[in-house]
Every structure is written in structure tokens, then in C-alpha cells.
Amino acid sequence: MAEKNVTMDKIVNLCKSRGFVFPGSDIYGGFANTWDFGPVGVELENNIKKAWWKRFVQESPNTYGVDASILMNPRVWEASGHVASFGDPKMDCKSCKQRFRADTLIETYGKGDVIPDCMTNEEMEVYIEENNIRCPHCGNKTWTNIRKFNPMFTTSRGTLEAEADKVYLRPETCQGEYVNFLNVQRTARAKLPFAIAQIGKSFRNEITPGNFLFRTIEFEQMELQMFCKDEDSVQIYNSYKEKAWNFAKDIGLSEDKLRFHDHDKLAHYAKAACDIQYNFPIGWQELNGVHHRGTWDCSRHQEYSGKSMLYTDPVTNEKVLPTVIEYSIGVGRLTLATLCEAYEEETLENGETRVVMHFNPAIAPYKVAVLPLQKNLSEKAEEVYAKLAKEFMCDYDLAGSIGKRYRRQDEIGTPFCVTVDFDTLENDTVTIRDRDSMEQIRLPISKLVAYISEKVKF
Ligand code: GAP
């Protein structure tokens, strides 16, 4: 019998014990809301990034990758509006002095069914008052009014910590895509519509980080900006909603745990915005966003940099200020969703429970593990390992009973285990065990690479 029985605590514990994710600065007692990916987690994360890049850059015509600097000219953040108006609605508890985001308090209270992004600050204050929402830390109801808090981290460039030297750690990667619009268009000889994509770190001094990888202060984003003519923008916006959904599904998230959520409250420049939400153990929450940003980004950078962002149509000579459609998803958040989705507790025929991570094989940290049945088979097993390790991330395990070794691989989601036994010495065949069905078949060693390659494709 298989049951998911997934909770955030189980995921956090499994991640720590199996080398997916450790608390940041662990030996110093941690550093709140920072996490370090371990040997297994870094593979999972890298595979998710590779799958995204393959789908949205490699297989997408007219899409070009960049890797822009984290530190940018501070004027970028004036142009983007972050200096003046990027901010979360914060409330302080007057009793225990803890700080919270008003919208998160409402979301948590409503278990994901109340959407605060269509409320004004005043409406949020009234909602909190009427619903008697108390401080999650001390239980009192002694809130300050809502105030804006700018979550950009600052540091300083140069040797003096003067105001003039202040620079920001980017709170989103997309500005690196906007400021390179002309460079990419020229060097790639790109024609509208075309997209710029990148994967990189962002930083936000979040008021209420938490829920493991869900909301952290340092995180990676996979962002894509499609530059287009306004008349094509609605069709492109809708197509990215669909592409984002299909990617989430293909990476392994079940469709009954995904839903679209169109924003009611939009930024003043935006024509439309839609999240895809995932049903995490903490409830329905945003997984990614697709945003119709109009010409805001190009017009603001044109104004603040003094450089024309106009695109000249090569056929009509028409000059166009591009409209932008954005698709943005957090790597950590998607990793968390795949961990929650993959987790299962299965009761075996002998009454034991196995925890198994049913990752899509394409993103599984290790694709295959080589397990010699006994120590004196290790020479042959190492030969098999060396052959497979040239093609895939491959684990090798000699310690403990074969049953225990299978359990360890199940817990890190390895789709295949290859067992080297005494017949291997006779006829160069091995058994290969499937993680999900636990069925085993016998294969010649010479066919292993082709067999596994076929099953781990994205
Ligand atoms: N450029 C647009 C932008 O950054 P966003 O909705 O603020 O939009 C996009 O963020 C995505 O980045 C989110 O859907 C989420 O997946 C991820 N994300 C945002 N803040 C995060 C945080 N503090 N921790 C982890 N992931 C985060």
C-alpha cells in the first residue's frame, strides 16, 4: 500500500539525513532561512535547471541565454521602480516585536483560499481586525498599521561605506535581461518576437521567510523575457501560461496539484499576470508567475539610461518599443515542489515501510547505483561503475545488506539499481531494478547505457 503522508517536517528531515539540503552555516547553529544544497540536492537542482534550459532555450527558437551580473548600476533599480516602490506590506506585533507580512498572515489564515493581492493596505488591516488574526509568535492582537518595507539588500562598492557607493544585491534576475536587450538583439541578429533567458541568484530581505525552500532570503530564479510587438503580446502571454504549465507537469508535478491563479490586482503598467500555484503541504501557493508587463521595462530603461530601446522592423522600418512577457520561477521553490510530489511511504509485503522518492528519472539526482552483491565482486562492479559513470551520475554502494542498499537508493530517488552477482562473472550480465515497481530484469552490461539513457531523457 502506498500513501504520500507528506509533511514539510518529513521533507526537511529526509533532506538533511540523505544529503539533499542542510541548514546554512550549520556548525554555527545555522543562519535563519539560508540553506545549503548537499551532494544529492545539488544534482537534483542542477537537473531541474538543465531541464528548464533545455526546454526554454535549447528547444525554443528565438530564445537566447545570458548570465548577467548580480551587482548592477544602482540606476537600474531606480528605473525598475524598486528603489521607490518595491516593498512588502509589513506589520509589527507591538507585544513581541516580531515583524510579519500582512498578506502572508491573511494567506495563512485563509489556507490559500483568500487571495490578499487584490486588497489595499486598508482592506488588509480591516480583514485582520475582523477575522481576529493574532500574532503567530505570541498570540496577541496588538498590530501596528501596515507600512512598506523595502526588501533589497544593500552593500557598498569601493572602500568607503558612503551613500554614493551604495549598491544593491539584485532582487530579481530579469533586469539583467532588459539591460542586455540591445546587445543580444544586435549580436544574435534577433527579430521580434525573441526572448532572453537566464538562471541566477536573487536576494530579498523577506519579512517572513520560511517554510524551508519556499521563501528564502537568497534564491535562484529561472526567468525569461519575451520581447514582442504589442499586437502579438496577448497570444504570447497565453502561450507562456501554457508552456509554464506543461513544464511543471513534465518535470513531474501532478496536474491535480496545479492551478492557475489570475491576479486581480495588477501593477499599474501590467496588462495581466497569472501564477501557477502548487498544492504544497502548507496549502496552495505560488510556484511561478507569467506577467504581461507592457512597455514599462523598455520605456523606463530608455528614460533612465538615455539609450534608445527602440527596435527597427527590418521589413517595414517601423520603430517599436517592445512589450515584454515574462515567465519567472524559483529554482528552490520548484525543487521543493518536486520533493513534496515525489515523497511516498509504501508498506511492503513483509510489513516494512519504504520511503521512496518517485522523481521523474530525468531530474533524479543519481540515475543509477551499482551494488555488488558481495565484497569479492567489487572488481567487476567497479568496472561497471566506471562505464556508467562516463554517461550518468552514478552511485556505488558496498555497505550493508542489499535490502538496506535498495532502501537508501529509494530514499534519494535513484531510478535504477544495478546488481553485480556471480553470474556477472560468467556471462557479463547484471540485474537492473526499477525504483517504482521494484521489478528486476537481467541485461547484458553492453546494453545498460542504452537502456538507462532511453528512460532518463527529458
Ligand atoms: N521578475 C519577476 C519576479 O521576480 P516574483 O513573483 O517576485 O517575480 C518570481 O518572483 C518567482 O521567484 C516566484 O514565483 C517564486 O517561484 C520565486 N521567488 C520569489 N521570491 C522568492 C523567495 N523569497 N524565495 C524563493 N523563491 C522566490
Side-chain angles (χ1 to χ4, degrees):
M1 203 180 63
E3 295 219 30
K4 287 201 73 69
N5 284 336
V6 60
T7 63
M8 202 62 106
D9 282 347
K10 287 184 187 176
I11 295 293
V12 175
N13 290 336
L14 178 87
C15 281
K16 190 168 180 188
S17 65
R18 285 290 171 229
F20 283 96
V21 183
F22 308 121
S25 316
D26 206 8
I27 59 169
Y28 287 90
F31 185 59
N33 301 299
T34 64
W35 300 96
D36 294 345
F37 282 80
V40 180
V42 74
E43 296 302 330
L44 176 63
E45 224 196 9
N46 281 342
N47 292 338
I48 288 173
K49 288 190 274 184
K50 272 189 240 159
W52 189 86
W53 197 262
K54 180 165 186 281
R55 174 69 57 91
F56 288 101
V57 181
Q58 183 181 329
E59 294 174 0
S60 297
N62 304 332
T63 303
Y64 306 93
V66 294
D67 184 12
S69 290
I70 288 173
L71 301 178
M72 303 182 80
N73 186 316
R75 293 274 291 160
V76 167
W77 305 110
E78 289 170 31
S80 68
H82 282 81
V83 172
S85 58
F86 185 44
D88 297 321
K90 80 171 168 72
M91 285 179 110
D92 292 330
C93 170
K94 289 187 210 159
S95 307
C96 69
K97 313 289 179 229
Q98 294 281 318
R99 178 163 289 175
F100 297 92
R101 276 178 64 158
D103 51 347
T104 311
L105 286 172
I106 294 172
E107 255 168 30
T108 312
Y109 175 80
K111 297 197 168 63
D113 289 333
V114 186
I115 310 291
D117 41 309
C118 53
M119 297 181 181
T120 62
N121 285 354
E122 292 68 37
E123 283 166 346
M124 283 197 273
E125 283 172 0
V126 169
Y127 186 93
I128 286 169
E129 175 62 30
E130 283 180 352
N131 289 282
N132 214 13
I133 299 178
R134 292 175 176 274
C135 169
H137 188 247
C138 70
N140 285 317
K141 214 185 84 183
T142 49
W143 297 114
T144 61
N145 288 341
I146 293 175
R147 276 170 291 175
K148 264 225 167 115
F149 168 78
N150 192 321
M152 276 202 292
F153 280 107
T154 55
T155 184
S156 52
R157 199 193 114 269
T159 49
L160 295 173
E161 285 187 24
E163 187 62 16
D165 288 337
K166 185 159 100 178
V167 288
Y168 301 97
L169 299 191
R170 67 181 177 199
E172 58 179 7
T173 58
C174 59
Q175 299 301 328
E177 295 158 38
Y178 303 138
V179 300
N180 280 297
F181 166 70
L182 294 171
N183 287 334
V184 172
Q185 193 273 321
R186 191 185 64 251
T187 51
R189 290 173 292 127
K191 296 193 181 70
L192 292 189
F194 74 91
I196 304 182
Q198 78 168 320
I199 300 177
K201 285 260 166 137
S202 295
F203 303 82
R204 291 184 197 174
N205 193 1
E206 297 278 9
I207 302 169
T208 46
N211 286 315
F212 193 32
L213 303 176
F214 182 79
R215 186 171 283 115
T216 52
I217 55 176
E218 172 183 340
F219 55 99
E220 263 184 305
Q221 288 183 305
M222 305 190 281
E223 295 203 295
L224 178 147
Q225 316 300 316
M226 177 61 100
F227 298 88
C228 59
K229 293 185 181 173
D230 191 50
E231 61 259 36
D232 301 327
S233 62
V234 171
Q235 181 268 324
I236 290 174
Y237 170 75
N238 287 327
S239 78
Y240 272 95
K241 279 174 66 172
E242 196 183 326
K243 285 174 203 219
W245 181 281
N246 287 340
F247 178 72
K249 166 173 74 77
D250 294 346
I251 207 97
L253 304 183
S254 49
E255 289 188 275
D256 58 359
K257 290 217 169 97
L258 293 170
R259 70 181 187 194
F260 284 117
H261 160 59
D262 289 312
H263 290 208
D264 297 319
K265 189 172 132 192
L266 296 174
H268 64 89
Y269 53 80
K271 280 206 180 150
C274 176
D275 298 338
I276 291 177
Q277 296 184 331
Y278 179 72
N279 196 1
F280 289 92
I282 49 171
W284 288 98
Q285 297 286 346
E286 174 183 337
L287 178 68
N288 72 250
V290 178
H291 312 126
H292 187 311
R293 301 177 59 99
T295 54
W296 165 260
D297 305 288
C298 291
S299 65
R300 293 284 287 192
H301 286 300
Q302 177 166 274
E303 182 188 340
Y304 279 71
S305 69
K307 292 269 168 1
S308 167
M309 297 281 279
L310 292 175
Y311 165 85
T312 308
D313 188 296
V315 178
T316 61
N317 259 342
E318 175 202 7
K319 296 216 180 293
V320 179
L321 190 62
T323 288
V324 167
I325 305 299
E326 172 182 66
Y327 160 45
S328 174
I329 182 161
V331 177
R333 203 171 280 188
L334 180 56
T335 304
L336 178 61
T338 63
L339 284 161
C340 298
E341 179 80 39
Y343 185 93
E344 193 169 69
E345 293 172 5
E346 214 176 295
T347 310
L348 303 174
E349 277 170 13
N350 64 5
E352 281 177 18
T353 303
R354 78 162 180 151
V355 169
V356 54
M357 298 298 281
H358 294 286
F359 295 121
N360 174 343
I363 60 161
Y366 291 94
K367 304 300 181 223
V368 54
V370 176
L371 316 174
L373 202 57
Q374 290 186 12
K375 221 175 184 159
N376 53 2
L377 291 162
S378 51
E379 196 181 325
K380 186 69 182 170
E382 280 168 23
E383 231 179 75
V384 176
Y385 171 81
K387 190 178 161 92
L388 294 178
K390 281 197 193 311
E391 308 295 330
F392 318 105
M393 274 310 291
C394 181
D395 200 4
Y396 181 87
D397 192 1
L398 188 62
S401 71
I402 193 76
K404 284 218 171 89
R405 283 183 273 166
Y406 283 149
R407 287 299 94 80
R408 274 202 289 270
Q409 295 302 329
D410 291 341
E411 287 191 11
I412 61 171
T414 308
F416 301 106
C417 286
V418 165
T419 309
V420 173
D421 56 24
F422 289 101
D423 288 344
T424 313
L425 302 180
E426 301 292 318
N427 57 15
D428 255 5
T429 64
V430 288
T431 60
I432 183 160
R433 169 193 182 264
D434 181 276
R435 174 196 65 199
D436 300 335
S437 66
M438 293 189 286
E439 275 167 17
Q440 303 192 15
I441 56 168
R442 205 146 187 110
L443 274 185
I445 293 171
S446 60
K447 295 212 167 136
L448 278 179
V449 168
Y451 179 85
I452 298 167
S453 297
E454 186 49 39
K455 303 208 180 249
V456 302
K457 273 195 200 140
F458 184 72

